[in-house]
């Protein structure tokens, strides 16, 4: 009878272990989120208050020093910053329909933070829409085919 109990319980315990592993291994790296979030929030607060700057480098009192800012396209600006030997890429880009995205990503850990802003057409003011952290891990236990 005990053997039958283990036979029934073992698949459920394995499934629960798999779910817990995915939760810890596949989600955003929280230490990266703690680095990226204040930077993204500071930029979005500046844009809401003052509008889009000529360059992200023009925003005062950012938590980290931006480097290599350039505009490869009309509606996009790319920059980088470094924290403890990690390189973070920052993109500010306007999407169609009056939406703006501030995206910071660490390619090494495949973790990112995205803040969305929207323009109020009547007053041409930007306002906050959403903030989310994400992970783009797609290998091993994090493979979408294993869901």
């Amino acid at each position: 009878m005990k053997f039958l109990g283990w036979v029934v319980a073992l698949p459920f315990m394995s499934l629960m272990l798999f779910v817990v592993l995915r939760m810890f291994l596949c989600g955003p790296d929280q230490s990266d989120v703690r680095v990226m979030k204040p930077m993204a929030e500071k930029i979005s607060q500046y844009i809401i208050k003052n509008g889009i700057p000529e360059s992200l480098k023009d925003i005062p009192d950012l938590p980290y020093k931006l480097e290599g800012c350039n505009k490869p396209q009309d509606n996009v600006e790319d920059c980088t910053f470094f924290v403890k030997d990690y390189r973070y890429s920052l993109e500010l880009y306007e999407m169609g329909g009056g939406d703006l995205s501030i995206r910071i990503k660490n390619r090494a850990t495949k973790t990112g933070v995205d803040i969305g802003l929207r323009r109020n057409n009547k007053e041409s003011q930007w306002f906050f829409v959403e903030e989310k952290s994400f992970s783009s891990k797609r290998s091993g236990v994090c493979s979408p085919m294993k869901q």
Side-chain angles (χ1 to χ4, degrees):
M1 193 67 165
K2 274 187 173 182
F3 179 74
L4 184 59
W6 277 105
V7 168
V8 171
L10 194 58
F12 292 110
M13 292 184 341
S14 298
L15 181 62
M16 291 304 295
L17 180 61
F18 180 74
V19 169
V20 169
L21 274 173
R22 281 185 61 88
M23 187 173 68
F24 285 108
L25 296 176
C26 301
D29 184 324
Q30 292 304 311
S31 62
D32 273 336
V33 172
R34 284 190 293 275
V35 167
M36 294 183 251
K37 193 173 176 179
M39 188 73 153
E41 288 174 346
K42 185 77 171 179
I43 293 168
S44 66
Q45 290 168 0
Y46 180 89
I47 291 172
I48 288 169
K49 187 174 181 181
N50 303 300
I52 300 174
E54 190 67 33
S55 172
L56 291 172
K57 282 185 169 183
D58 297 339
I59 299 174
D61 303 323
L62 289 175
Y64 308 105
K65 182 181 179 238
L66 293 176
E67 299 177 13
C69 292
N70 62 34
K71 293 187 177 187
Q73 299 172 353
D74 290 339
N75 298 330
V76 177
E77 183 172 10
D78 296 322
C79 300
T80 58
F81 63 94
F82 295 87
V83 178
K84 296 182 183 176
D85 298 328
Y86 280 110
R87 180 178 182 256
Y88 296 88
S89 62
L90 187 152
E91 287 182 329
L92 173 73
Y93 56 95
E94 284 188 74
M95 301 175 286
D99 289 342
L100 183 72
S101 178
I102 302 162
R103 176 170 282 181
I104 302 175
K105 187 172 181 182
N106 180 337
R107 294 185 198 284
T109 62
K110 297 184 179 177
T111 296
V113 169
D114 196 10
I115 290 186
L117 301 175
R118 184 166 289 143
R119 187 187 305 260
N120 182 337
N121 290 337
K122 295 176 185 171
E123 301 173 17
S124 295
Q125 289 288 99
W126 292 100
F127 62 93
F128 178 81
V129 176
E130 70 175 330
E131 175 184 314
K132 62 182 177 182
S133 58
F134 62 90
S135 173
S136 58
K137 298 173 189 168
R138 298 289 181 252
S139 62
V141 74
C142 301
S143 171
M145 298 303 288
K146 293 185 180 180
Q147 290 184 6

